[in-house]
PDB file of all heavy atoms in Angstrom:
ATOM      1  N   ASN A   1       6.131  14.994 -11.652  1.00 75.00           N
ATOM      2  CA  ASN A   1       5.363  13.945 -12.317  1.00 75.00           C
ATOM      3  C   ASN A   1       4.038  13.728 -11.591  1.00 75.00           C
ATOM      4  O   ASN A   1       3.756  14.344 -10.567  1.00 75.00           O
ATOM      5  CB  ASN A   1       6.166  12.646 -12.410  1.00 75.00           C
ATOM      6  CG  ASN A   1       6.574  12.082 -11.050  1.00 75.00           C
ATOM      7  OD1 ASN A   1       5.895  12.277 -10.037  1.00 75.00           O
ATOM      8  ND2 ASN A   1       7.687  11.389 -11.034  1.00 75.00           N
ATOM      9  N   PHE A   3       2.905  11.252  -9.826  1.00 85.00           N
ATOM     10  CA  PHE A   3       3.021  10.728  -8.470  1.00 85.00           C
ATOM     11  C   PHE A   3       3.257  11.861  -7.469  1.00 85.00           C
ATOM     12  O   PHE A   3       2.622  11.917  -6.411  1.00 85.00           O
ATOM     13  CB  PHE A   3       4.167   9.721  -8.409  1.00 85.00           C
ATOM     14  CG  PHE A   3       4.368   9.099  -7.052  1.00 85.00           C
ATOM     15  CD1 PHE A   3       3.604   8.006  -6.662  1.00 85.00           C
ATOM     16  CD2 PHE A   3       5.336   9.582  -6.188  1.00 85.00           C
ATOM     17  CE1 PHE A   3       3.804   7.419  -5.416  1.00 85.00           C
ATOM     18  CE2 PHE A   3       5.537   9.002  -4.949  1.00 85.00           C
ATOM     19  CZ  PHE A   3       4.766   7.911  -4.563  1.00 85.00           C
ATOM     20  N   GLU A   5       2.504  14.972  -7.856  1.00 89.00           N
ATOM     21  CA  GLU A   5       1.280  15.779  -7.791  1.00 89.00           C
ATOM     22  C   GLU A   5       0.285  15.148  -6.823  1.00 89.00           C
ATOM     23  O   GLU A   5      -0.353  15.849  -6.019  1.00 89.00           O
ATOM     24  CB  GLU A   5       0.642  15.888  -9.184  1.00 89.00           C
ATOM     25  CG  GLU A   5       1.397  16.749 -10.168  1.00 89.00           C
ATOM     26  CD  GLU A   5       0.717  16.777 -11.519  1.00 89.00           C
ATOM     27  OE1 GLU A   5      -0.474  16.363 -11.593  1.00 89.00           O
ATOM     28  OE2 GLU A   5       1.351  17.195 -12.496  1.00 89.00           O
ATOM     29  N   GLY A   8       1.547  15.590  -3.224  1.00 91.00           N
ATOM     30  CA  GLY A   8       1.363  16.973  -2.799  1.00 91.00           C
ATOM     31  C   GLY A   8      -0.085  17.280  -2.467  1.00 91.00           C
ATOM     32  O   GLY A   8      -0.383  17.988  -1.489  1.00 91.00           O
ATOM     33  N   ILE A  19      -2.727  14.970  12.287  1.00 96.00           N
ATOM     34  CA  ILE A  19      -2.364  13.560  12.152  1.00 96.00           C
ATOM     35  C   ILE A  19      -1.286  13.184  13.172  1.00 96.00           C
ATOM     36  O   ILE A  19      -0.303  13.898  13.350  1.00 96.00           O
ATOM     37  CB  ILE A  19      -1.857  13.272  10.726  1.00 96.00           C
ATOM     38  CG1 ILE A  19      -2.930  13.635   9.686  1.00 96.00           C
ATOM     39  CG2 ILE A  19      -1.431  11.819  10.586  1.00 96.00           C
ATOM     40  CD1 ILE A  19      -4.172  12.806   9.768  1.00 96.00           C
ATOM     41  N   VAL A  46       5.388  -8.324 -19.066  1.00 79.00           N
ATOM     42  CA  VAL A  46       4.494  -7.180 -18.884  1.00 79.00           C
ATOM     43  C   VAL A  46       5.051  -5.980 -19.635  1.00 79.00           C
ATOM     44  O   VAL A  46       6.237  -5.915 -19.969  1.00 79.00           O
ATOM     45  CB  VAL A  46       4.311  -6.834 -17.392  1.00 79.00           C
ATOM     46  CG1 VAL A  46       3.515  -7.901 -16.674  1.00 79.00           C
ATOM     47  CG2 VAL A  46       5.660  -6.619 -16.704  1.00 79.00           C
ATOM     48  N   VAL A  48       6.351  -2.312 -19.988  1.00 81.00           N
ATOM     49  CA  VAL A  48       6.996  -1.284 -19.175  1.00 81.00           C
ATOM     50  C   VAL A  48       7.540  -0.205 -20.108  1.00 81.00           C
ATOM     51  O   VAL A  48       7.766  -0.448 -21.294  1.00 81.00           O
ATOM     52  CB  VAL A  48       8.138  -1.859 -18.314  1.00 81.00           C
ATOM     53  CG1 VAL A  48       7.608  -2.871 -17.320  1.00 81.00           C
ATOM     54  CG2 VAL A  48       9.230  -2.472 -19.173  1.00 81.00           C
ATOM     55  N   GLY A  50      10.701   1.768 -20.438  1.00 80.00           N
ATOM     56  CA  GLY A  50      12.075   2.013 -20.035  1.00 80.00           C
ATOM     57  C   GLY A  50      12.768   0.774 -19.500  1.00 80.00           C
ATOM     58  O   GLY A  50      12.177  -0.297 -19.380  1.00 80.00           O
ATOM     59  N   ARG A  58      14.201   5.569 -10.478  1.00 93.00           N
ATOM     60  CA  ARG A  58      13.156   6.596 -10.417  1.00 93.00           C
ATOM     61  C   ARG A  58      12.151   6.270  -9.320  1.00 93.00           C
ATOM     62  O   ARG A  58      11.677   7.160  -8.615  1.00 93.00           O
ATOM     63  CB  ARG A  58      12.440   6.728 -11.760  1.00 93.00           C
ATOM     64  CG  ARG A  58      13.303   7.287 -12.876  1.00 93.00           C
ATOM     65  CD  ARG A  58      12.474   7.921 -13.992  1.00 93.00           C
ATOM     66  NE  ARG A  58      11.387   7.081 -14.439  1.00 93.00           N
ATOM     67  CZ  ARG A  58      11.480   6.209 -15.440  1.00 93.00           C
ATOM     68  NH1 ARG A  58      12.638   6.037 -16.064  1.00 93.00           N
ATOM     69  NH2 ARG A  58      10.440   5.502 -15.810  1.00 93.00           N
ATOM     70  N   LEU A  70       5.533  13.484   3.611  1.00 96.00           N
ATOM     71  CA  LEU A  70       4.636  13.036   4.674  1.00 96.00           C
ATOM     72  C   LEU A  70       5.200  13.276   6.069  1.00 96.00           C
ATOM     73  O   LEU A  70       4.462  13.595   7.001  1.00 96.00           O
ATOM     74  CB  LEU A  70       4.316  11.549   4.486  1.00 96.00           C
ATOM     75  CG  LEU A  70       3.510  11.207   3.230  1.00 96.00           C
ATOM     76  CD1 LEU A  70       3.454   9.686   3.037  1.00 96.00           C
ATOM     77  CD2 LEU A  70       2.104  11.781   3.300  1.00 96.00           C
ATOM     78  N   PRO A  75       5.066  11.365  12.174  1.00 98.00           N
ATOM     79  CA  PRO A  75       5.933  10.208  11.964  1.00 98.00           C
ATOM     80  C   PRO A  75       5.323   9.257  10.934  1.00 98.00           C
ATOM     81  O   PRO A  75       4.113   9.062  10.884  1.00 98.00           O
ATOM     82  CB  PRO A  75       5.983   9.563  13.361  1.00 98.00           C
ATOM     83  CG  PRO A  75       5.724  10.694  14.294  1.00 98.00           C
ATOM     84  CD  PRO A  75       4.731  11.572  13.592  1.00 98.00           C
ATOM     85  N   ILE A  94      12.404  -1.396  -0.346  1.00 95.00           N
ATOM     86  CA  ILE A  94      12.169  -1.181   1.084  1.00 95.00           C
ATOM     87  C   ILE A  94      13.492  -1.241   1.853  1.00 95.00           C
ATOM     88  O   ILE A  94      13.684  -0.529   2.846  1.00 95.00           O
ATOM     89  CB  ILE A  94      11.144  -2.202   1.633  1.00 95.00           C
ATOM     90  CG1 ILE A  94      10.492  -1.684   2.935  1.00 95.00           C
ATOM     91  CG2 ILE A  94      11.777  -3.545   1.915  1.00 95.00           C
ATOM     92  CD1 ILE A  94       9.397  -0.703   2.741  1.00 95.00           C
ATOM     93  N   THR A 105      14.490   9.633  13.040  1.00 97.00           N
ATOM     94  CA  THR A 105      13.624   9.138  14.117  1.00 97.00           C
ATOM     95  C   THR A 105      12.147   9.262  13.782  1.00 97.00           C
ATOM     96  O   THR A 105      11.303   8.702  14.493  1.00 97.00           O
ATOM     97  CB  THR A 105      13.911   9.882  15.422  1.00 97.00           C
ATOM     98  OG1 THR A 105      13.710  11.298  15.228  1.00 97.00           O
ATOM     99  CG2 THR A 105      15.345   9.647  15.877  1.00 97.00           C
ATOM    100  N   LYS A 117       0.504  -7.765   7.451  1.00 96.00           N
ATOM    101  CA  LYS A 117       0.957  -6.930   8.558  1.00 96.00           C
ATOM    102  C   LYS A 117      -0.277  -6.372   9.265  1.00 96.00           C
ATOM    103  O   LYS A 117      -1.287  -6.059   8.612  1.00 96.00           O
ATOM    104  CB  LYS A 117       1.828  -5.774   8.050  1.00 96.00           C
ATOM    105  CG  LYS A 117       3.036  -6.200   7.200  1.00 96.00           C
ATOM    106  CD  LYS A 117       4.108  -6.858   8.022  1.00 96.00           C
ATOM    107  CE  LYS A 117       5.281  -7.350   7.185  1.00 96.00           C
ATOM    108  NZ  LYS A 117       6.080  -6.283   6.578  1.00 96.00           N
ATOM    109  N   LEU A 125      -8.172  -1.829  14.330  1.00 98.00           N
ATOM    110  CA  LEU A 125      -7.210  -2.833  13.891  1.00 98.00           C
ATOM    111  C   LEU A 125      -7.159  -2.800  12.364  1.00 98.00           C
ATOM    112  O   LEU A 125      -8.172  -3.022  11.695  1.00 98.00           O
ATOM    113  CB  LEU A 125      -7.605  -4.223  14.379  1.00 98.00           C
ATOM    114  CG  LEU A 125      -6.716  -5.387  13.927  1.00 98.00           C
ATOM    115  CD1 LEU A 125      -5.275  -5.191  14.361  1.00 98.00           C
ATOM    116  CD2 LEU A 125      -7.269  -6.718  14.459  1.00 98.00           C
ATOM    117  N   GLY A 127      -5.352  -4.392   8.998  1.00 96.00           N
ATOM    118  CA  GLY A 127      -4.546  -5.437   8.381  1.00 96.00           C
ATOM    119  C   GLY A 127      -4.172  -5.022   6.970  1.00 96.00           C
ATOM    120  O   GLY A 127      -4.954  -4.336   6.285  1.00 96.00           O
ATOM    121  N   ASN A 140     -11.717 -13.849   7.144  1.00 92.00           N
ATOM    122  CA  ASN A 140     -11.601 -14.722   8.317  1.00 92.00           C
ATOM    123  C   ASN A 140     -10.169 -14.894   8.818  1.00 92.00           C
ATOM    124  O   ASN A 140      -9.943 -15.589   9.809  1.00 92.00           O
ATOM    125  CB  ASN A 140     -12.179 -16.098   7.990  1.00 92.00           C
ATOM    126  CG  ASN A 140     -13.639 -16.027   7.606  1.00 92.00           C
ATOM    127  OD1 ASN A 140     -14.417 -15.345   8.258  1.00 92.00           O
ATOM    128  ND2 ASN A 140     -14.019 -16.715   6.535  1.00 92.00           N
ATOM    129  N   LYS A 152      -9.903  -7.029  20.970  1.00 97.00           N
ATOM    130  CA  LYS A 152      -9.885  -5.705  21.599  1.00 97.00           C
ATOM    131  C   LYS A 152     -10.427  -4.608  20.681  1.00 97.00           C
ATOM    132  O   LYS A 152     -10.786  -3.526  21.149  1.00 97.00           O
ATOM    133  CB  LYS A 152      -8.458  -5.352  22.031  1.00 97.00           C
ATOM    134  CG  LYS A 152      -7.923  -6.206  23.164  1.00 97.00           C
ATOM    135  CD  LYS A 152      -6.496  -5.792  23.511  1.00 97.00           C
ATOM    136  CE  LYS A 152      -5.957  -6.617  24.669  1.00 97.00           C
ATOM    137  NZ  LYS A 152      -4.553  -6.246  25.005  1.00 97.00           N
ATOM    138  N   HIS A 159      -6.889  -4.132   4.277  1.00 95.00           N
ATOM    139  CA  HIS A 159      -6.680  -3.382   3.046  1.00 95.00           C
ATOM    140  C   HIS A 159      -5.794  -4.186   2.091  1.00 95.00           C
ATOM    141  O   HIS A 159      -4.682  -4.595   2.450  1.00 95.00           O
ATOM    142  CB  HIS A 159      -6.044  -2.026   3.350  1.00 95.00           C
ATOM    143  CG  HIS A 159      -6.977  -1.069   4.003  1.00 95.00           C
ATOM    144  ND1 HIS A 159      -6.709   0.284   4.137  1.00 95.00           N
ATOM    145  CD2 HIS A 159      -8.205  -1.253   4.564  1.00 95.00           C
ATOM    146  CE1 HIS A 159      -7.723   0.880   4.754  1.00 95.00           C
ATOM    147  NE2 HIS A 159      -8.640  -0.034   5.018  1.00 95.00           N
ATOM    148  N   GLY A 161      -4.572  -4.840  -2.319  1.00 86.00           N
ATOM    149  CA  GLY A 161      -4.337  -4.048  -3.519  1.00 86.00           C
ATOM    150  C   GLY A 161      -4.403  -4.804  -4.826  1.00 86.00           C
ATOM    151  O   GLY A 161      -4.326  -4.204  -5.890  1.00 86.00           O
ATOM    152  N   ASP A 170     -18.229  -5.852   3.804  1.00 93.00           N
ATOM    153  CA  ASP A 170     -18.297  -5.935   5.266  1.00 93.00           C
ATOM    154  C   ASP A 170     -18.713  -7.352   5.615  1.00 93.00           C
ATOM    155  O   ASP A 170     -19.839  -7.766   5.361  1.00 93.00           O
ATOM    156  CB  ASP A 170     -19.302  -4.919   5.806  1.00 93.00           C
ATOM    157  CG  ASP A 170     -19.207  -4.758   7.318  1.00 93.00           C
ATOM    158  OD1 ASP A 170     -18.720  -5.697   7.981  1.00 93.00           O
ATOM    159  OD2 ASP A 170     -19.614  -3.710   7.835  1.00 93.00           O
ATOM    160  N   GLY A 173     -17.737  -8.702  10.700  1.00 91.00           N
ATOM    161  CA  GLY A 173     -17.093  -7.716  11.555  1.00 91.00           C
ATOM    162  C   GLY A 173     -15.777  -7.191  11.018  1.00 91.00           C
ATOM    163  O   GLY A 173     -15.082  -6.435  11.699  1.00 91.00           O
ATOM    164  N   TYR A 178     -10.445  -3.796  -1.238  1.00 91.00           N
ATOM    165  CA  TYR A 178      -9.474  -3.826  -2.315  1.00 91.00           C
ATOM    166  C   TYR A 178      -9.345  -2.394  -2.829  1.00 91.00           C
ATOM    167  O   TYR A 178     -10.344  -1.773  -3.216  1.00 91.00           O
ATOM    168  CB  TYR A 178      -9.939  -4.753  -3.445  1.00 91.00           C
ATOM    169  CG  TYR A 178      -9.773  -6.222  -3.126  1.00 91.00           C
ATOM    170  CD1 TYR A 178     -10.791  -6.929  -2.485  1.00 91.00           C
ATOM    171  CD2 TYR A 178      -8.600  -6.893  -3.452  1.00 91.00           C
ATOM    172  CE1 TYR A 178     -10.636  -8.280  -2.181  1.00 91.00           C
ATOM    173  CE2 TYR A 178      -8.440  -8.246  -3.161  1.00 91.00           C
ATOM    174  CZ  TYR A 178      -9.465  -8.925  -2.529  1.00 91.00           C
ATOM    175  OH  TYR A 178      -9.316 -10.253  -2.228  1.00 91.00           O
TER     176      TYR A 178
END
Side-chain angles (χ1 to χ4, degrees):
N1 60 29
F3 181 84
E5 289 179 15
I19 302 295
V46 291
V48 297
R58 292 203 312 269
L70 294 171
I94 201 80
T105 58
K117 305 288 177 68
L125 177 58
N140 300 315
K152 292 179 179 179
H159 288 193
D170 192 337
Y178 284 89

